[in-house]
Amino acid sequence: MREIKFRGISKNNNRWIYGFVSIDKNSAKMEGFPHFISRASGYLPVEVVPRSVGQYIGLKDEYGIEIYDGDIVEIAEQPLLRFEIVYSTEHAAFMRRWLSSLVSVTRECGTEEHIPPNTTFWKVIGNRYENPELLQ
């Protein structure tokens, strides 16, 4: 069974917080509803930047780094082949959205496809929150 956990950037110190997510719908703010992440049961929740929140997809890259929704990944042997991990409500699944225009003849930039079970040759190179330039 896949481990369910989230990450988000703390509003206090700009560091990643990992754990359980909750949304406080009773106190909406300009940026949307506040999001909180608790490291474990019993810890006080930390307010995080809502757009930085991503869920662990249950897979790791070639270096053992956990892959989260919003991560930007490249194929290790072919660094020009990049994609972003996204959640598709249409498929109710995490998907990879190709960012590179050099993907192949059968795929175009922006094409979404299911994530294969073998991520041994993947390398996390950033995420949409800290590295928006990689989405270009």
Side-chain angles (χ1 to χ4, degrees):
M1 184 172 231
R2 180 171 68 84
E3 182 180 11
I4 306 295
K5 65 180 173 179
F6 294 82
R7 72 173 181 194
I9 295 278
S10 167
K11 283 193 168 186
N12 295 332
N13 61 16
N14 285 334
R15 291 188 179 156
W16 286 105
I17 304 295
Y18 296 82
F20 309 100
V21 71
S22 63
I23 302 170
D24 182 4
K25 293 184 179 182
N26 294 324
S27 58
K29 294 185 178 178
M30 297 268 296
E31 195 176 338
F33 297 119
H35 288 58
F36 297 89
I37 292 185
S38 299
R39 291 189 180 111
S41 179
Y43 280 85
L44 289 175
V46 175
E47 187 171 2
V48 295
V49 178
R51 69 180 181 276
S52 72
V53 174
Q55 186 175 1
Y56 175 50
I57 69 168
L59 299 171
K60 297 179 181 181
D61 75 358
E62 68 175 345
Y63 299 107
I65 296 172
E66 295 176 338
I67 303 172
Y68 285 80
D69 176 26
D71 278 344
I72 300 165
V73 179
E74 68 183 16
I75 307 294
E77 307 92 34
Q78 300 172 319
L80 294 177
L81 296 181
R82 291 184 179 166
F83 52 88
E84 177 186 11
I85 302 297
V86 297
Y87 183 78
S88 167
T89 53
E90 179 183 343
H91 297 286
F94 291 105
M95 309 281 280
R96 59 181 177 179
R97 178 182 299 140
W98 291 98
L99 300 172
S100 171
S101 57
L102 302 173
V103 175
S104 77
V105 178
T106 59
R107 296 182 193 112
E108 294 180 12
C109 186
T111 301
E112 290 182 5
E113 64 184 25
H114 289 279
I115 295 173
N118 183 3
T119 58
T120 346
F121 300 107
W122 288 12
K123 180 179 171 186
V124 175
I125 59 170
N127 61 71
R128 75 172 81 122
Y129 180 72
E130 293 178 307
N131 314 99
E133 71 280 0
L134 294 175
L135 296 172
Q136 307 297 328

